[in-house]
Amino acid sequence: MSDRIFMSKAHITDAEEEAVRRAIRSGWVAPLGPEVDAFELEVADRVGVKGALALSSGTAALHLALLELGARPGTAVVVSSMTFAASANAVAYTGAEPVFVDSQKTDGNIDPELLFDAIDTLHAEGTEVVAAMTVDLIGRTCDYNTLEAGLAERGVPLLEDAAESLGSSIAGRAAGSFGRAAALSFNGNKIMTTSGGGMLLSNDEQLLERARYLSTQARQPVAWYEHTEIGYNYRLSNILAAIGRAQLGRLDEMIARRRDIRKQYMRAFSGLDVRFLGTADTEGEQIENCWLTGIVLGDSITRSPDDIVASLSEAGIEVRRLWKPMHLQPVFANARAFTNGASEHLFARGLTLPSGSALTDSEVERVITALLNNFESPLSDQATR
C-alpha cells in the first residue's frame, strides 16, 4: 500500500528547521524568550488586534479568556454545540454551565437567532450569561455582522473560538479580531502549527495582561517566588514560537494550496448529490482559509458515512465524520441545549476530507477516486470527471 494520506498533516519545510536551529543557538531553550515576543507581535499584526499572548494550547487561551470574562460557578456560557470538545471543556474548567446552541444548516456555524433566543431565555430565568462563545467551523467565520449587534444589545461579551480560522475573514475583518477576545490553535493539524500551542488575541490590553499573569503561575512581581492566587503553566516555549514564526511566513502559501485542493474536490463532485460546507471562492464577503473541506451527503448517497470512513481507511486515506455535537456527548448529557436539528443532521451525513497543504495532486486524485467508488447513487453513476 502506498503512504497513508492524513486529514491535515503538518506541512514542515527547511524554513521551520532553520527557525528551530536559530532558537536553540540563541540559548533560549526554555519557556518565553525573544521568539515568543516576536511571534505575539507578528500574529497580532496579521489579525489586526492590539495584543496577543502565546500559550501552550488554544484551550488554554479559551480558559483564560473565560476567567477574565467572569465565568465561574453559578454563571452560564452559551457555546456552539457543533465543535470539538475543547470549546466546551474550557467552560467546564471554570465551573460555569455550558449551554449549547445549534447550527445554521448552511455552514454548520452557530445559528445567531437561536443564540439570541437562548440568551433571552436564560436572562428571563435570572441566569447570568457571562459570554457567548462562537466557533468558526472548519475555517469559515460565523455571521459576525449579526452576532456582534445582537450580543451588544443584550450586554453579553463575545469570545471567538478561531482555532480553525486563522487567515479567514468576513466583510474585510480577520478571524480572531471579533469580540472581547479570540483564541487561535497551533495544534499539529491546524492551518499552521507550532506542533502544539495557541494564542489569545484581544484589543483589551488589561484583559491580556491579567491573562499573561495567570498563565505564568500567577507569580507576583517581586524578587522571590510569591503567589497570592492560583495560576497556570500555560506559556509557549521559545523553540515552538520559532516554528510558529516560520509557519506564519508561509501562511498565505499554505492557505492557497488548501483552497486549490477544495476546488479540485468541488470540480470532481459537481455532478453528485454532495453539498459542500463553504466555498473555495476568494471574492465576496466571506473569505475562507479552507482548513478542512467538509461535505454533506445527500439522501441518494446510499453508503453511510461510517462505511465510507472505513472503506477509505482500508485504502490508506484518513476521512472523518463531522464533529459530534456537544449536546449529544455523554459527558455533557445533563447540559442544557437549544437545538434545531441542524448539527445532528450534519453529524449524521457529514464528512471531512484530506485537506493538508502538503498533499500532492496525485494524492488528492487518489482521495477523489476512492470517494467516487463509494458514492453508490444514481447521480454518482452518471458522474463524469
Side-chain angles (χ1 to χ4, degrees):
M1 180 184 293
S2 54
D3 291 342
R4 185 171 179 80
I5 296 174
F6 294 95
M7 182 81 67
S8 184
K9 187 178 179 181
H11 189 181
I12 301 300
T13 66
D14 291 346
E16 287 79 10
E17 292 184 20
E18 175 54 34
V20 170
R21 191 177 300 113
R22 178 184 71 225
I24 291 174
R25 288 176 176 171
S26 75
W28 289 90
V29 188
L32 307 183
E35 298 288 344
V36 174
D37 296 340
F39 188 38
E40 290 175 345
L41 291 172
E42 290 165 5
V43 173
D45 182 65
R46 167 76 192 218
V47 174
V49 295
K50 288 184 178 178
L53 177 64
L55 298 164
S56 57
S57 69
T59 313
L62 292 173
H63 182 201
L64 293 177
L66 287 167
L67 290 174
E68 293 314 299
L69 294 175
R72 63 193 185 283
T75 66
V77 175
V78 287
V79 55
S80 175
S81 187
M82 194 67 178
T83 184
F84 180 61
S87 312
N89 287 345
V91 179
Y93 297 163
T94 69
E97 175 192 6
V99 177
F100 298 113
V101 177
D102 216 322
S103 303
Q104 300 178 137
K105 295 178 181 177
T106 50
D107 60 10
N109 279 331
I110 200 164
D111 182 330
E113 295 306 320
L114 195 57
L115 174 67
F116 299 150
D117 288 346
I119 293 172
D120 291 343
T121 300
L122 291 166
H123 280 170
E125 294 171 353
T127 300
E128 182 183 0
V129 182
V130 295
M133 185 195 299
T134 56
V135 180
D136 300 332
L137 192 72
I138 61 173
R140 180 179 171 88
T141 54
C142 296
D143 178 7
Y144 289 113
N145 295 335
T146 303
L147 287 164
E148 285 192 316
L151 291 173
E153 181 182 329
R154 290 163 175 81
V156 174
L158 167 65
L159 172 58
E160 181 192 5
D161 183 345
E164 304 166 5
S165 60
L166 178 62
S168 300
S169 64
I170 182 169
R173 293 176 61 189
S177 68
F178 297 95
R180 282 283 302 284
L184 301 176
S185 171
F186 304 126
N187 192 19
N189 67 352
K190 291 300 188 294
I191 193 83
M192 59 162 276
T193 186
T194 55
S195 80
M199 194 165 282
L200 178 63
L201 303 170
S202 182
N203 289 314
D204 185 336
E205 293 169 306
Q206 186 174 352
L207 181 150
L208 286 172
E209 281 311 302
R210 171 72 179 170
R212 189 180 300 274
Y213 158 74
L214 289 177
S215 71
T216 50
Q217 301 283 22
R219 182 184 172 188
Q220 292 293 314
V222 294
W224 53 89
Y225 291 116
E226 183 156 310
H227 309 269
T228 58
E229 58 188 314
I230 299 298
Y232 306 91
N233 184 14
Y234 276 173
R235 287 293 263 155
L236 189 71
S237 83
N238 198 56
I239 292 176
L240 299 191
I243 297 174
R245 293 183 68 196
Q247 287 265 288
L248 186 63
R250 299 177 47 238
L251 179 61
D252 290 328
E253 162 201 330
M254 294 190 289
I255 289 174
R257 177 55 183 163
R258 288 183 188 253
R259 186 172 287 127
D260 180 63
I261 290 169
R262 181 175 293 182
K263 286 179 179 176
Q264 292 186 52
Y265 287 137
M266 297 183 84
R267 283 195 297 270
F269 305 149
S270 62
L272 305 178
D273 193 11
V274 169
R275 178 169 69 85
F276 284 79
L277 293 177
T279 73
D281 294 336
T282 58
E283 302 295 332
E285 187 168 81
Q286 279 269 10
I287 296 179
E288 302 177 45
N289 67 5
C290 297
W291 171 54
L292 292 181
T293 290
I295 60 172
V296 183
L297 307 179
D299 292 340
S300 65
I301 302 291
T302 55
R303 299 207 75 184
S304 72
D306 282 343
D307 289 341
I308 294 172
V309 169
S311 171
L312 266 69
S313 181
E314 288 181 3
I317 299 168
E318 183 187 29
V319 169
R320 290 191 183 180
R321 301 273 297 274
L322 280 170
W323 309 137
K324 183 177 183 179
M326 288 298 107
H327 70 269
L328 299 181
Q329 297 285 354
V331 68
F332 293 115
N334 296 320
R336 195 166 180 182
F338 291 75
T339 61
N340 58 19
S343 63
E344 293 183 28
H345 175 73
L346 292 172
F347 173 60
R349 299 296 291 168
L351 295 168
T352 52
L353 310 183
S355 306
S357 53
L359 287 175
T360 65
D361 282 346
S362 64
E363 289 173 324
V364 175
E365 185 64 24
R366 192 175 134 205
V367 176
I368 290 170
T369 300
L371 283 167
L372 287 174
N373 290 336
N374 278 270
F375 292 159
E376 296 174 348
S377 70
L379 280 175
S380 65
D381 292 340
Q382 296 166 12
T384 56
R385 300 176 21 251

